[in-house]
Structures are given as C-alpha cells and as structure tokens.
Amino acid sequence: ILMIVRALIAAVAAIVVTFVQNRPGEFAVAALEGFLIASLAYFVAETLVRGLNPTRVLLGLVALAGAVLALVLPGSPDARFHLALLLWAAAAGIIELVGGLLGRRRGAADARDQITIGALTCVLALASLIVSPEYALDYFVEEAGQSFTLTGTIVGVGLFGGWAAIVAVYLGIGAFSPAPTNTVAKDAA
C-alpha cells in the first residue's frame, strides 16, 4: 500500500504538470513544493508504519529542505524553481541510490526500487543542471496564428513532470507485481 501511495503522489504531480497550460515560475514553485510536502508526509508515514530507516529519514529531510528552499531562495520564481529542483533532485537521488545499494547488500526487498528511483532522480538532477532558467525561444505557429515562447522554466517543469510520470508508472507496476520468491533460501533448506 505504501508503494501505491508514493506512486499516487508522483502521478498527481505528473498530471498537474501535464494538464496545466500556463507554467510560469510561480506555478513551477507551487508544483514542486506540493510534491515535496506530500513526499515529506509520505516518508513520515512510512517511518511510522515500517520503523526507523536512515534512508527514509534523510529523504524526508531533503524533501522538507527542498520545499523550504523553493520558498526562501532569493531571486525570481523561475530561478528558485530551478535551483530548488536541482538541489533536491541531486540530494534525494544520491541518498536513495546509496540507500538502495546498501539495502541490496543486506537483502532488502525494496533495494531494487530504491536503486532505480535514485538513478532516475540523479538523471533529473543532471537534466536540470543543463536547463537554464534564462532560456527563451520565441516561435510562431501559423495554424494558430500566434507567437509563443518556450522558456527554461517550461522545460524544467516538463522534465520534472516527465520524471514524476516515469516514477509513478514504475512504482505502480511494482506495487501490483507479485513479490519475488527467495529461491536461494529454498535451495539452502
């Protein structure tokens, strides 16, 4: 059930980002903050249900820090979104990836999922590093008879939404997949 909840949090973020047409910096900050606050609540609940785990505690703290940074960083909302996304994704990706690798050594059941989500989050951080908040491309669509501007914030929000969609699908599939059987233990017995 916990994996389904985490998948739903990511799915809501992906849906909001996908179906909102206007994505200025204020929207980007609000979408990221909403996701991070929901993630914090998830990690607190997971810790209460499953017990204390350093990876979950660190991920919750990083989600809290990311949400606070998005609010208090100086600069425009576009710049705050990009920097908060980059810092959160880098920290959360490394924490989850390392936690998954250490968990695999201990034989943790969710180690593979942590490794995958951690690696995907690190890729999000790298992609966010490439996108500049100052980027702007003006273009004209003849069929619409209108000019548009593709900004770095629109690209950044799209990257975040794409990451959230992939994570939601991955965790959703994992939640409904049967648990693997431990063939090593059966062979040893």
Side-chain angles (χ1 to χ4, degrees):
I1 290 179
L2 287 172
M3 193 180 287
I4 294 170
V5 171
R6 191 171 182 196
L8 286 174
I9 291 169
V12 167
I15 290 168
V16 166
V17 166
T18 300
F19 292 108
V20 171
Q21 293 297 318
N22 190 11
R23 297 183 189 116
E26 294 83 5
F27 167 77
V29 169
L32 181 61
E33 284 177 347
F35 170 78
L36 293 175
I37 291 168
S39 294
L40 171 62
Y42 166 81
F43 288 120
V44 168
E46 186 179 15
T47 299
L48 292 174
V49 170
R50 295 178 67 189
L52 197 60
N53 177 301
T55 302
R56 283 192 292 275
V57 170
L58 287 173
L59 287 170
L61 290 174
V62 167
L64 175 62
V68 169
L69 281 175
L71 278 176
V72 301
L73 283 172
S76 69
D78 296 334
R80 289 194 336 256
F81 166 75
H82 282 275
L83 189 54
L85 178 64
L86 173 63
L87 294 174
W88 165 79
I94 290 168
I95 289 167
E96 194 145 22
L97 182 60
V98 170
L101 292 171
L102 294 173
R104 185 168 61 178
R105 285 186 179 171
R106 293 188 315 268
D110 62 347
R112 183 186 61 186
D113 294 334
Q114 283 186 311
I115 291 169
T116 303
I117 301 303
L120 287 170
T121 309
C122 286
V123 169
L124 174 63
L126 290 172
S128 297
L129 185 61
I130 295 169
V131 177
S132 169
E134 289 86 27
Y135 176 79
L137 172 69
D138 294 322
Y139 62 97
F140 184 79
V141 177
E142 286 189 36
E143 291 83 16
Q146 199 171 6
S147 292
F148 298 94
T149 301
L150 177 65
T151 65
T153 301
I154 292 171
V155 173
V157 171
L159 289 170
F160 171 65
W163 168 85
I166 292 168
V167 167
V169 170
Y170 179 82
L171 290 174
I173 290 170
F176 291 106
S177 297
T181 57
N182 192 347
T183 56
V184 175
K186 289 180 183 177
D187 294 339

